[in-house]
Amino acid sequence: MSDHPLVPGPSSAIERGPWHYGADYVSVYFQGDVRPLAKLVPKAFNVDEGLCMAYVCEIISVGDAGEAMVASRPDRTIYQEAALGVKCRFGDRQGIFYPVMWVTTEWSLLRGILNGYQKRLADRISMTKLHPLNPGLRPAGPGMEFGGFCVKGPETTLKVAVKILKAGSPKDLPSFGTTFGMRRFPKTDQTQGEVDELVEILKSNSKVSDVWVGTGSLSTTLDVGKIDVLSGAVYRSGFTISGSKVLN
Amino acid sequence: MSDHPLVPGPSSAIERGPWHYGADYVSVYFQGDVRPLAKLVPKAFNVDEGLCMAYVCEIISVGDAGEAMVASRPDRTIYQEAALGVKCRFGDRQGIFYPVMWVTTEWSLLRGILNGYQKRLADRISMTKLHPLNPGLRPAGPGMEFGGFCVKGPETTLKVAVKILKAGSPKDLPSFGTTFGMRRFPKTDQTQGEVDELVEILKSNSKVSDVWVGTGSLSTTLDVGKIDVLSGAVYRSGFTISGSKVLN
Amino acid sequence: MSDHPLVPGPSSAIERGPWHYGADYVSVYFQGDVRPLAKLVPKAFNVDEGLCMAYVCEIISVGDAGEAMVASRPDRTIYQEAALGVKCRFGDRQGIFYPVMWVTTEWSLLRGILNGYQKRLADRISMTKLHPLNPGLRPAGPGMEFGGFCVKGPETTLKVAVKILKAGSPKDLPSFGTTFGMRRFPKTDQTQGEVDELVEILKSNSKVSDVWVGTGSLSTTLDVGKIDVLSGAVYRSGFTISGSKVLN
Amino acid sequence: MSDHPLVPGPSSAIERGPWHYGADYVSVYFQGDVRPLAKLVPKAFNVDEGLCMAYVCEIISVGDAGEAMVASRPDRTIYQEAALGVKCRFGDRQGIFYPVMWVTTEWSLLRGILNGYQKRLADRISMTKLHPLNPGLRPAGPGMEFGGFCVKGPETTLKVAVKILKAGSPKDLPSFGTTFGMRRFPKTDQTQGEVDELVEILKSNSKVSDVWVGTGSLSTTLDVGKIDVLSGAVYRSGFTISGSKVLN
């Protein structure tokens, strides 16, 4: 039969993995309030500090051996993403859980849900892009501002802004540990099976480059309590995701 | 925590069910070739005759007790759908399986996948609408043509056209029996759980009205073999879906 | 050559007129402040009272003799519109001028600009729709709420809500007189020609039906001063526009 | 009053110029048939050779002194464009006329129409993008393929593909001379004014970089006769447009 939308394959919404990503980020790091943040993550995760990040990014992504799709089906290789992540702990393991991750394409929505991300479809995500040959634009550098927003229905669910102070390096970006997730596929009837499990995303090949650090600001429809922005950053990153592993 | 996108609830992509539907259809009934059609349905379903239907529709849908959303969040109550269904048999039970059902919103995509429909997100679905006060349009009637199409990426995945010959009644519409589906949520790692089950959609409260019957035509990117159109129809329909039940 | 996008013809963005419309409206009538309202209309128009209306609607529209397009190219016959109009006076002629009218398609954008409407392209307009066969919905009637919103970029530029109190008739809808507009096509160089003229839209065949009246509320990004809502209404309307005539 | 959509200004659809552009192109150069090509350009332009180009590109654009908008309103600075241009002659001046240029935003649509481009709104334009940190992608180089497509309604109006053979330089790209255009704003009533003039786009600050040349292919809904592809190219380009000047 045709591939089921959630079962990776040629006629599915999801390419066969592992999946490779190259992304340009505008990120803001902030402190929220522990109590509302604790309500945004599964109970098994402890929110100790209230450290969070929010970002908007554009991603070029291909399945393993799917390089040709950047030419034959570019619409299956480009998407925008906006997300807010909360630092938390599972036992003695530190990580980040994203209560919501908005994306602009079906395939990133379903692939993410399959792997354990709480993805939602955005109506629109837009973010700063520069171009080295545009006579009216300077390259990234001190004083330059970057921004992005995510719209869903009548709401701007996330908006971030970063003002660059100086060039940085990958180690200037706060570390959150592993990426936590949750895979759910609930019953709608007692005869059905279900999946309900906490996972750790299997990420490798991480690289970061073109880091600029500065100040930031953000607004969101999620309740994160009082927002105390720590810093902002603009950078590029690449990585591979091969799936996710059940936490225990 | 925030509701998981697939777990019905106030902050989920999916409203709590049962879900109620009111739809306007442009449908074409046709005979395809049994062999390619058999490849479009799960193996457990037998394609005996090759009878199929294809349609484009606009749907107004609300969750139970969610009537207020038509005013507060109309974007969560309106979508377009295009689909092609194949008559098949599970044991001695007759039904219809939809290899692909394209929809225009996140919530109809995820709600459908949860219930067992092989839903995919369309870029655009457009179909004939009339308006009784438009001075340039006649009401539906003999000779009037209706059409619709579904676009995804660079492809028009489905296109239907109907020319009305005469007024009809609900019993003029071919009957397919129950609606079959498949719920899948596969593993991406051996530690994970999974769901893989054939289901029957739990549909009730069915009503049909404003039936017009005539000739039809269609084209699709699905391989259904040689297409022999039997008839076309335009009608309105309403129903309730409470979930789905595992077939056995 | 191919038709220019602004010159009505078969390969243009604009069909040959006259153009026929059938629309479903959710409208709110309100009093704004004369001073900010005066800044929203051309100087030649006097804002005496501050009476305004704001609406969201879905329109089915065809060019004269273009009835077949509802089937062959339905995407060229359906759009959503959201607008805010200000009652004003040109000499002794009463009318309404719409400082902005957001629409969801290219052809309604360009056709409107050609005729003298200050049209802009919305990212999304969504509004209440009911369906008589949806088992979870009641028909329009007292107590029922209708709503709609318009999104452009990161902003919800207009949002309206109406709560029905009772059935009404066309004469329950406030009258604004003629529809004023402005046709502009400015120079970007001294060698170029230009158009700059105030117009009156040539509207005929007006019909109104299915009127329900009640209370309303609205919010907008336009500066209309303090909003004092007078009433809300839900209704259907049909009319023909043949172009526009220069005011003098 | 609010700025008219076509009159450059802060609340208009069009920023004040000059306008600066930085773009990434996938282009195909081909020979079409002179006779059908002559029907795609205004009569005053002579099609002598049948040389054409077709491209898909992503553009970052800002108005003069509008650099801040890349952060505050990125949706007003990024768009995709797809176009087909025909080499032609006005008197003894060589140039290129674009019978249709599809774009993805309102502001590029209206700005282009104001300056003399025959712009139309696309539903979607998608094209190859690479990312240096994506572990599954190689950088541009020999053997690499690029592609793009433009969808409008039920049609893929333009599709291009390029296979890189080798690194190139700006002088490897065929030269077409000046860019011709046509400004039209027709009457819909005898009382109205109108504009109808052939123009030359005022372009400066042109730069080209990152050129790769190779083979190409294309398909389009425009009638260009038999297509004989000459070459394909991938490159970046930057330029400034200050308006247009009437040809005489």
Side-chain angles (χ1 to χ4, degrees):
Chain A
M1 61 162 297
S2 302
D3 294 310
H4 183 280
L6 287 175
V7 180
S11 66
S12 169
I14 307 178
E15 312 297 314
R16 289 216 177 85
W19 303 281
H20 306 290
Y21 301 78
D24 293 351
Y25 287 90
V26 178
S27 296
V28 174
Y29 304 94
F30 67 98
Q31 194 78 30
D33 287 337
V34 169
R35 197 177 303 224
L37 290 174
K39 291 184 187 159
L40 294 177
V41 307
K43 278 184 191 160
F45 295 135
N46 286 86
V47 178
D48 298 324
E49 313 163 39
L51 182 64
C52 297
M53 79 175 290
Y55 66 80
V56 172
C57 68
E58 178 173 273
I59 300 183
I60 311 301
S61 177
V62 290
D64 212 39
E67 195 194 38
M69 288 191 74
V70 293
S72 61
R73 283 298 299 270
D75 58 308
R76 291 290 297 262
T77 67
I78 303 164
Y79 70 102
Q80 281 86 35
E81 184 174 284
L84 188 148
V86 180
K87 188 169 187 179
C88 52
R89 186 172 46 79
F90 180 78
D92 55 3
R93 195 176 309 178
Q94 297 292 337
I96 186 166
F97 181 82
Y98 294 93
V100 191
M101 196 176 263
W102 294 277
V103 294
T104 53
T105 66
E106 170 208 60
W107 50 275
S108 51
L109 172 72
L110 296 181
R111 188 165 83 182
I113 286 176
L114 185 66
N115 282 330
Y117 289 107
Q118 326 299 291
K119 292 213 173 174
R120 298 294 299 272
L121 195 65
D123 288 344
R124 175 176 214 168
I125 295 173
S126 186
M127 62 179 284
T128 303
K129 285 195 204 180
L130 303 177
H131 196 285
L133 300 190
N134 184 313
L137 292 177
R138 289 171 299 143
M144 195 79 152
E145 294 182 81
F146 284 69
F149 62 84
C150 173
V151 172
K152 183 170 180 60
E155 296 181 325
T156 297
T157 59
L158 183 66
K159 199 169 194 168
V160 297
V162 169
K163 183 168 191 172
I164 293 177
L165 293 177
K166 57 175 183 177
S169 76
K171 64 182 194 305
D172 290 322
L173 306 178
S175 167
F176 286 82
T178 193
T179 302
F180 294 136
M182 183 170 54
R183 283 169 39 97
R184 296 291 308 266
F185 196 74
K187 303 175 184 223
T188 62
D189 185 82
Q190 284 312 313
T191 59
Q192 298 174 345
E194 68 182 325
V195 171
D196 182 356
E197 56 201 16
L198 299 179
V199 297
E200 170 187 0
I201 305 295
L202 299 169
K203 221 172 174 176
S204 58
N205 293 336
S206 285
K207 273 183 279 185
V208 172
S209 75
D210 302 87
V211 181
W212 296 92
V213 293
T215 55
S217 65
L218 85 151
S219 62
T220 177
T221 50
L222 290 176
D223 180 7
V224 295
K226 192 178 160 296
I227 291 172
D228 185 9
V229 173
L230 304 172
S231 66
V234 173
Y235 54 92
R236 314 191 88 177
S237 174
F239 50 88
T240 296
I241 290 178
S242 61
S244 58
K245 202 175 62 178
V246 173
L247 280 173
N248 52 35
Chain B
M1 64 163 295
S2 301
D3 293 311
H4 183 282
L6 286 175
V7 180
S11 65
S12 170
I14 307 177
E15 313 296 316
R16 289 217 176 85
W19 303 281
H20 306 290
Y21 301 77
D24 293 351
Y25 287 89
V26 178
S27 297
V28 174
Y29 304 94
F30 68 99
Q31 194 78 30
D33 286 337
V34 169
R35 197 177 304 222
L37 290 174
K39 292 183 186 159
L40 294 176
V41 307
K43 279 183 189 160
F45 295 135
N46 285 86
V47 178
D48 298 325
E49 314 163 38
L51 181 63
C52 297
M53 78 174 290
Y55 66 80
V56 171
C57 68
E58 178 173 274
I59 301 183
I60 312 300
S61 177
V62 291
D64 211 39
E67 193 194 39
M69 288 192 75
V70 294
S72 59
R73 283 298 299 272
D75 57 308
R76 292 289 298 264
T77 67
I78 304 163
Y79 70 102
Q80 281 85 37
E81 185 173 282
L84 188 149
V86 181
K87 187 168 187 181
C88 52
R89 185 173 47 79
F90 180 78
D92 56 1
R93 194 175 311 177
Q94 297 292 337
I96 186 166
F97 181 82
Y98 294 93
V100 192
M101 196 176 263
W102 295 276
V103 294
T104 55
T105 65
E106 170 207 60
W107 50 273
S108 51
L109 173 72
L110 296 181
R111 188 164 83 183
I113 286 177
L114 185 67
N115 281 332
Y117 289 107
Q118 328 297 291
K119 291 214 172 172
R120 298 293 300 271
L121 194 65
D123 287 345
R124 178 176 210 165
I125 295 173
S126 186
M127 63 179 282
T128 302
K129 285 195 207 181
L130 303 177
H131 196 285
L133 300 191
N134 184 312
L137 292 176
R138 288 171 300 143
M144 195 78 152
E145 293 182 81
F146 284 70
F149 62 85
C150 172
V151 173
K152 183 170 180 60
E155 296 180 326
T156 297
T157 59
L158 183 65
K159 200 169 192 168
V160 297
V162 169
K163 183 168 190 171
I164 293 177
L165 293 177
K166 56 175 183 174
S169 76
K171 64 182 192 307
D172 290 320
L173 306 178
S175 166
F176 286 82
T178 192
T179 302
F180 293 137
M182 182 170 53
R183 284 170 38 98
R184 295 291 308 264
F185 197 73
K187 302 175 186 226
T188 62
D189 185 83
Q190 284 313 311
T191 59
Q192 297 174 348
E194 67 183 325
V195 171
D196 182 357
E197 56 200 18
L198 299 178
V199 297
E200 170 186 0
I201 305 295
L202 299 169
K203 221 172 175 173
S204 58
N205 293 336
S206 284
K207 273 181 279 186
V208 172
S209 75
D210 302 88
V211 181
W212 296 93
V213 294
T215 56
S217 65
L218 86 150
S219 61
T220 176
T221 50
L222 291 175
D223 180 8
V224 295
K226 192 177 160 297
I227 292 172
D228 185 9
V229 173
L230 305 172
S231 65
V234 173
Y235 54 93
R236 314 191 88 178
S237 175
F239 50 88
T240 297
I241 290 178
S242 61
S244 58
K245 200 175 64 179
V246 173
L247 282 171
N248 52 36
Chain C
M1 61 163 297
S2 301
D3 294 311
H4 183 281
L6 287 176
V7 180
S11 65
S12 170
I14 307 178
E15 314 295 316
R16 289 216 177 84
W19 303 280
H20 307 290
Y21 301 77
D24 293 351
Y25 287 90
V26 178
S27 296
V28 174
Y29 304 94
F30 68 99
Q31 193 79 29
D33 287 338
V34 169
R35 197 177 303 222
L37 289 174
K39 292 184 186 158
L40 294 177
V41 307
K43 277 182 191 161
F45 296 135
N46 285 86
V47 178
D48 298 325
E49 314 164 38
L51 182 63
C52 296
M53 78 174 290
Y55 66 80
V56 171
C57 68
E58 179 173 272
I59 300 182
I60 311 301
S61 177
V62 291
D64 212 38
E67 192 194 40
M69 288 192 74
V70 294
S72 61
R73 283 298 300 270
D75 57 309
R76 292 289 297 264
T77 67
I78 305 164
Y79 71 102
Q80 281 86 35
E81 184 173 283
L84 188 147
V86 180
K87 187 168 188 181
C88 51
R89 186 173 47 78
F90 180 78
D92 56 2
R93 195 176 311 177
Q94 298 292 338
I96 186 166
F97 180 82
Y98 294 93
V100 191
M101 197 177 263
W102 295 276
V103 295
T104 54
T105 66
E106 170 207 61
W107 51 273
S108 52
L109 173 73
L110 296 181
R111 188 164 83 183
I113 286 176
L114 185 68
N115 281 330
Y117 289 107
Q118 328 298 291
K119 291 214 173 174
R120 298 294 300 272
L121 194 65
D123 287 346
R124 175 175 214 166
I125 295 174
S126 186
M127 63 179 283
T128 303
K129 284 195 205 179
L130 302 177
H131 196 286
L133 300 191
N134 183 314
L137 292 176
R138 289 171 298 143
M144 195 78 152
E145 293 180 82
F146 283 70
F149 62 85
C150 173
V151 172
K152 183 169 180 59
E155 295 181 328
T156 297
T157 60
L158 184 65
K159 198 169 194 169
V160 297
V162 169
K163 184 168 189 172
I164 293 176
L165 292 177
K166 55 174 184 177
S169 76
K171 62 181 193 306
D172 291 320
L173 306 178
S175 167
F176 286 82
T178 193
T179 302
F180 293 137
M182 183 172 51
R183 283 170 38 98
R184 296 290 309 265
F185 196 73
K187 303 175 185 224
T188 62
D189 185 83
Q190 284 312 311
T191 59
Q192 297 174 347
E194 67 183 324
V195 171
D196 181 357
E197 56 200 19
L198 298 179
V199 297
E200 170 186 0
I201 305 295
L202 299 169
K203 221 171 175 175
S204 58
N205 292 337
S206 284
K207 271 181 281 184
V208 172
S209 75
D210 301 270
V211 181
W212 297 92
V213 294
T215 56
S217 65
L218 86 149
S219 61
T220 176
T221 51
L222 290 176
D223 181 8
V224 295
K226 192 178 160 295
I227 292 172
D228 184 10
V229 172
L230 305 172
S231 66
V234 173
Y235 54 94
R236 315 191 87 176
S237 175
F239 50 89
T240 296
I241 290 179
S242 61
S244 57
K245 201 175 62 179
V246 173
L247 281 172
N248 51 37
Chain D
M1 64 163 297
S2 301
D3 294 309
H4 183 281
L6 286 175
V7 180
S11 65
S12 169
I14 307 178
E15 313 296 315
R16 290 216 176 85
W19 304 280
H20 307 290
Y21 302 77
D24 293 351
Y25 287 90
V26 178
S27 295
V28 174
Y29 304 94
F30 68 99
Q31 195 78 32
D33 287 338
V34 169
R35 196 178 303 224
L37 290 175
K39 291 184 187 158
L40 294 177
V41 307
K43 278 183 189 160
F45 296 135
N46 285 86
V47 178
D48 297 325
E49 315 163 37
L51 181 64
C52 297
M53 78 174 290
Y55 66 81
V56 172
C57 68
E58 178 173 273
I59 301 184
I60 312 300
S61 177
V62 291
D64 213 39
E67 193 194 39
M69 287 190 76
V70 293
S72 60
R73 284 297 299 270
D75 57 308
R76 292 290 297 264
T77 67
I78 304 164
Y79 70 102
Q80 281 86 36
E81 184 173 285
L84 188 148
V86 180
K87 189 171 187 178
C88 51
R89 187 173 44 78
F90 181 78
D92 56 3
R93 195 176 309 179
Q94 298 291 338
I96 186 166
F97 180 83
Y98 295 93
V100 191
M101 197 176 264
W102 295 276
V103 294
T104 53
T105 66
E106 171 208 59
W107 51 273
S108 52
L109 173 73
L110 296 182
R111 189 165 81 183
I113 286 176
L114 185 67
N115 282 330
Y117 289 107
Q118 328 299 290
K119 291 214 172 175
R120 298 293 301 271
L121 195 65
D123 287 345
R124 175 175 213 168
I125 295 174
S126 185
M127 63 179 284
T128 303
K129 284 195 205 179
L130 303 177
H131 197 285
L133 300 190
N134 184 313
L137 292 176
R138 289 170 300 142
M144 195 80 153
E145 293 181 83
F146 284 69
F149 62 84
C150 173
V151 172
K152 184 169 179 61
E155 296 180 327
T156 297
T157 59
L158 183 65
K159 198 170 193 167
V160 297
V162 169
K163 184 169 190 171
I164 293 177
L165 293 176
K166 57 174 183 174
S169 76
K171 63 181 194 306
D172 290 322
L173 307 178
S175 168
F176 286 82
T178 193
T179 302
F180 294 137
M182 182 171 54
R183 284 170 38 97
R184 296 289 310 265
F185 196 75
K187 302 175 186 226
T188 61
D189 185 83
Q190 284 312 312
T191 59
Q192 298 173 346
E194 69 183 323
V195 171
D196 182 358
E197 56 201 17
L198 299 179
V199 297
E200 169 187 359
I201 306 294
L202 299 169
K203 220 172 175 175
S204 59
N205 292 336
S206 284
K207 274 181 280 185
V208 172
S209 75
D210 301 270
V211 181
W212 296 92
V213 294
T215 57
S217 64
L218 85 150
S219 61
T220 177
T221 50
L222 291 176
D223 181 6
V224 295
K226 191 178 160 297
I227 292 172
D228 185 9
V229 173
L230 304 172
S231 66
V234 173
Y235 54 93
R236 315 191 87 177
S237 174
F239 51 88
T240 296
I241 290 177
S242 62
S244 59
K245 203 176 61 181
V246 173
L247 281 171
N248 51 37

